[in-house]
Amino acid sequence: NRDIWLVGDSYFDFWARYIIDLGYGNFYLDGHSGRFTDVAIDSVKTNMLYAKPKKIVWFMGMNDPDEADKVNESWINCFYTLRDICLEKDIELILATVPNTPERNNKHKNEIVRNSGYRYVEICSAVGADTCISWSSGLIDPKDYVHPSPDGTKVIAECILSALPEIE
C-alpha cells in the first residue's frame, strides 16, 4: 500500500539497497534479477488487484536490449501496456533511461523515454553511458560490464534521489 512503486530488474540489487541503507523507504520495491519486461508488467497487473499506487517508476529494459536498428519489441509493447494502465487508473508514470553496456544497446528505448513527455530519471548520463557503451571510469563492474560497480551504485542512487525526492 505504498504510494510509489519502483519496478525494475537486477539494478535494484544494487542501488535500492544503498537507498534503503540511507534510511529511505517511501516506496514499494518490485525488482528482480534477470527479469524481463513482460514479467515485470505481469507483476504490476497482479499487484493492481490488491492496491493502486499514485506513481509507478519504471526502471526496466536492461534484459530486453534493443536491436541495432529498432527498439526491443517486448519492451515497447510493455511500455504501451503500462502507459495505458497508468492513464486509465490516474497513476503518474515515471520512466528511466537504461545505460548502454558493451554487450547491450538501449539507445532506441532511451530515445522513447526521453521523447515520451513523461518525467524520467536520466541514469545513462549519470554513469556516462548516454551515447556510448563505456561508462565513466570506475562506475561499471569490470567482471560483467553490465552492472554498476560500488561507485556506480552510489552514482545511480544519488541520481535517483535527486530526480525522485519523494522517495525520501
Side-chain angles (χ1 to χ4, degrees):
N1 285 323
R2 297 289 181 149
D3 289 340
I4 303 168
W5 290 2
L6 304 176
V7 182
D9 51 31
S10 64
Y11 272 51
F12 280 56
D13 295 345
F14 299 89
W15 66 263
R17 188 172 324 153
Y18 181 79
I19 290 174
I20 291 167
D21 288 347
L22 290 174
Y24 304 123
N26 184 28
F27 52 84
Y28 164 66
L29 182 60
D30 184 5
H32 303 281
S33 295
R35 185 186 223 183
F36 292 93
T37 306
D38 58 344
V39 175
I41 199 70
D42 286 345
S43 179
V44 168
K45 288 176 184 178
T46 300
N47 291 337
M48 289 280 180
L49 297 173
Y50 305 100
K52 183 189 114 179
K54 292 181 182 175
K55 300 174 187 199
I56 293 178
V57 187
W58 187 249
F59 288 95
M60 286 301 307
M62 185 58 81
N63 295 318
D64 302 282
D66 293 338
E67 296 179 31
D69 60 343
K70 67 180 183 172
V71 70
N72 179 285
E73 189 173 327
S74 178
W75 183 90
I76 193 67
N77 290 337
C78 291
F79 166 71
Y80 290 142
T81 298
L82 182 63
R83 179 198 64 189
D84 293 347
I85 290 169
C86 290
L87 288 170
E88 176 187 324
K89 297 186 178 292
D90 194 31
I91 299 168
E92 180 184 359
L93 175 58
I94 303 169
L95 305 171
T97 57
V98 181
N100 295 299
T101 72
E103 295 182 8
R104 300 180 189 185
N105 170 19
N106 296 299
K107 176 182 132 183
H108 301 294
K109 72 176 62 81
N110 289 332
E111 288 176 15
I112 291 168
V113 166
R114 290 181 182 118
N115 294 316
S116 68
Y118 287 100
R119 179 177 164 197
Y120 67 93
V121 181
E122 183 55 71
I123 294 174
C124 289
S125 294
V127 297
D130 184 26
T131 57
C132 64
I133 60 172
S134 299
W135 292 24
S136 296
S137 180
L139 299 186
I140 195 168
D141 186 332
K143 294 175 196 155
D144 69 9
Y145 292 101
V146 172
H147 296 99
S149 67
D151 288 341
T153 296
K154 290 178 185 173
V155 167
I156 291 170
E158 290 166 4
C159 174
I160 292 165
L161 287 172
S162 177
L164 303 170
E166 58 267 46
I167 69 173
E168 295 181 28

